[in-house]
Amino acid sequence: MARALGIVSFSENHIWVDGMENYRSIGAFSFLGRYRVIDFPISNFSNSGIDRIQVYVRRRPQSLVQHIGTGRHFNINSKSGYVQIMFTDSQEENDYYNTDVKAYMANLEHIENTSNTHVVIAPAYMVYTQDFDALLKTHIESEADITVLYHSVDNAKEAYQNCYCVNLNRQKGVESFERNNGKLKNRNIFMDTYVMKKEVFIELLKEAQKTSSMYTLRMIINDKCSEMDIRGVAHRGFFAPITDFKSYYDGNMSLLDLKTAKAVFNDSWPIYTRTNDSCPTQYFETADVKRSFVANGCTIEGTVENSVVGRECVIKPGAVVKNCILLTNVVIGEGVHIEGQVVDKNARVTKMKEIIADPKTPGYIRRNDMV
């Protein structure tokens, strides 16, 4: 069987999560209190038997580097496998020349020197589970030049506005990629996931670089749709692209549904993450917790409803937390009522006794803030 190099790519310039991305890249975002977004693509690779992984970082690398560490917690074989963090030359937020193609070309030697025959590229800003070994086999059997993954949705008018769509012919051949303009209800959302031979990948990179300094891999592949055999494969299951603040909020909240969560988290396909040795969460007599995900190390004395609570959080007596996402080490003071908020790491909400937003337009409390 062909041996693949796993590549975790970063987001394009049009994707930005207000507030949160000021402190870390999307891959380092807390997800469901216990995980990071980057855990999902790396776990997909690890579970698929792909143990040589390169993670490309565009901006704010510190949090992601700290989380990934040696990569051992992702069940990677330390003798034959590795997780490498690859950097770009520029860390400027609005550098439109800082594309994925530029990042790959800057690290081309590390790609060329691997013994892998194929590459599987997955994004660091989308949450989904996928057997990449099965996808690789499908690609090889089809004898296509490139295989891409897409997810069919029926709410493209309201959601996925920062995503691209895959236009397919009747044979599942890719005719083009286009930005979702919100005009059609049913669309095939492109999952920024590719499978191809390593030599094809390298040829595309070199041609993209010659074409334009601003070209991305998606752009050069879009140009090649009429020349190359590019196939689309449908993804089934949970899919949450993190492309703006609302999609981050919605992605977390959707997994509070037990049936949905069970489809993502199961024993046969573990999602690995960096472990934390803190004590179990303490629930006091005054605690009232409903339909919520609460990580370890918390102290709960108030009411928590339909919320995600990260590690080491404190909910004081009389506090009400509803339809919220609390990141690590957040304190909600006594008698405070918050709804529809994303509360960033180390924030203290003690002075303001009521902060309420509609979940359709969630609010944001900044990292380390005291309100």
Side-chain angles (χ1 to χ4, degrees):
M1 185 61 196
R3 185 173 175 83
L5 170 68
I7 293 177
V8 183
S9 62
F10 52 70
S11 59
E12 293 186 38
N13 280 290
H14 67 281
I15 291 175
W16 180 259
V17 179
D18 288 334
M20 296 186 63
E21 210 168 345
N22 292 329
Y23 304 101
R24 78 283 270 178
S25 62
I26 297 177
F29 282 13
S30 173
F31 196 82
L32 208 61
R34 184 172 184 267
Y35 304 93
R36 304 287 185 99
V37 174
I38 195 70
D39 294 336
F40 291 84
I42 296 181
S43 295
N44 286 335
F45 283 133
S46 177
N47 292 330
S48 302
I50 298 174
D51 61 1
R52 295 181 180 181
I53 304 167
Q54 295 180 353
V55 179
Y56 286 79
V57 185
R58 183 181 178 201
R59 59 167 73 93
R60 301 287 189 270
Q62 294 86 354
S63 182
L64 196 62
V65 170
Q66 183 181 20
H67 177 72
I68 292 176
T70 63
R72 291 183 179 178
H73 46 281
F74 292 108
N75 197 34
I76 302 296
N77 187 329
S78 59
K79 290 186 177 181
S80 62
Y82 52 77
V83 179
Q84 289 181 320
I85 300 177
M86 320 298 282
F87 299 95
T88 60
D89 294 334
S90 172
Q91 295 296 324
E92 295 180 24
E93 291 180 2
N94 297 318
D95 184 358
Y96 288 94
Y97 294 97
N98 192 12
T99 65
D100 56 352
V101 170
K102 179 181 178 181
Y104 299 143
M105 290 301 293
N107 295 280
L108 187 60
E109 182 180 353
H110 297 282
I111 297 172
E112 290 178 325
N113 290 341
T114 63
S115 60
N116 307 90
T117 58
H118 289 69
V119 295
V120 178
I121 304 170
Y125 60 95
M126 292 186 177
V127 177
Y128 65 88
T129 56
Q130 173 67 39
D131 185 344
F132 287 134
D133 182 57
L135 186 63
L136 180 60
K137 289 176 181 176
T138 299
H139 168 75
I140 293 172
E141 290 171 0
S142 71
E143 299 183 348
D145 296 314
I146 302 171
T147 297
V148 302
L149 200 62
Y150 67 88
H151 189 91
S152 298
V153 302
D154 60 4
N155 60 337
K157 282 188 176 183
E158 301 83 26
Y160 309 100
Q161 296 300 308
N162 284 336
C163 294
Y164 277 80
C165 303
V166 181
N167 295 319
L168 303 169
N169 58 32
R170 293 183 178 179
Q171 290 74 40
K172 301 294 184 182
V174 177
E175 295 184 334
S176 65
F177 300 93
E178 67 172 334
R179 185 85 170 264
N180 179 23
N181 54 23
K183 293 182 179 180
L184 298 176
K185 177 182 177 182
N186 297 293
R187 298 304 300 262
N188 297 318
I189 302 300
F190 179 41
M191 298 175 67
D192 274 19
T193 301
Y194 311 85
V195 183
M196 67 190 88
K197 286 184 178 179
K198 186 175 70 175
E199 60 189 37
V200 172
F201 177 54
I202 294 172
E203 288 174 6
L204 288 169
L205 295 180
K206 292 178 178 179
E207 186 165 349
Q209 188 181 52
K210 290 179 181 179
T211 303
S212 171
S213 298
M214 292 187 179
Y215 248 41
T216 65
L217 182 61
R218 175 189 50 77
M219 290 177 181
I220 192 64
I221 291 178
N222 187 54
D223 289 351
K224 295 291 184 180
C225 284
S226 60
E227 303 174 24
M228 302 178 73
D229 184 3
I230 305 174
R231 307 284 181 89
V233 173
H235 170 262
R236 301 283 186 266
F238 181 78
F239 171 55
I242 311 299
T243 58
D244 54 25
F245 185 74
K246 182 64 163 55
S247 63
Y248 171 74
Y249 178 85
D250 290 343
N252 276 271
M253 302 304 282
S254 63
L255 284 174
L256 292 177
D257 178 77
L258 185 59
K259 184 178 179 181
T260 304
K262 283 184 176 180
V264 178
F265 302 100
N266 60 74
D267 294 337
S268 63
W269 201 265
I271 304 300
Y272 301 104
T273 190
R274 194 178 189 88
T275 57
N276 187 301
D277 294 329
S278 57
C279 64
T281 289
Q282 292 181 286
Y283 297 92
F284 289 78
E285 290 183 359
T286 55
D288 183 12
V289 181
K290 300 176 182 177
R291 199 177 184 266
S292 297
F293 186 99
V294 181
N296 56 315
C298 298
T299 301
I300 310 294
E301 298 180 84
T303 298
V304 180
E305 183 179 344
N306 201 55
S307 295
V308 174
V309 181
R311 292 187 174 108
E312 310 292 342
C313 289
V314 176
I315 313 295
K316 294 288 188 177
V320 176
V321 178
K322 185 177 180 181
N323 300 325
C324 290
I325 300 171
L326 309 186
L327 275 64
T328 305
N329 198 32
V330 167
V331 175
I332 306 299
E334 188 170 346
V336 171
H337 186 136
I338 64 170
E339 291 188 26
Q341 303 293 320
V342 175
V343 186
D344 211 333
K345 183 178 180 180
N346 299 328
R348 302 288 187 269
V349 186
T350 57
K351 304 297 182 183
M352 299 293 293
K353 294 303 181 182
E354 187 175 89
I355 306 176
I356 297 176
D358 191 319
K360 294 179 181 179
T361 55
Y364 174 66
I365 298 174
R366 295 175 298 184
R367 179 174 177 172
N368 299 320
D369 208 356
M370 299 182 68
V371 296

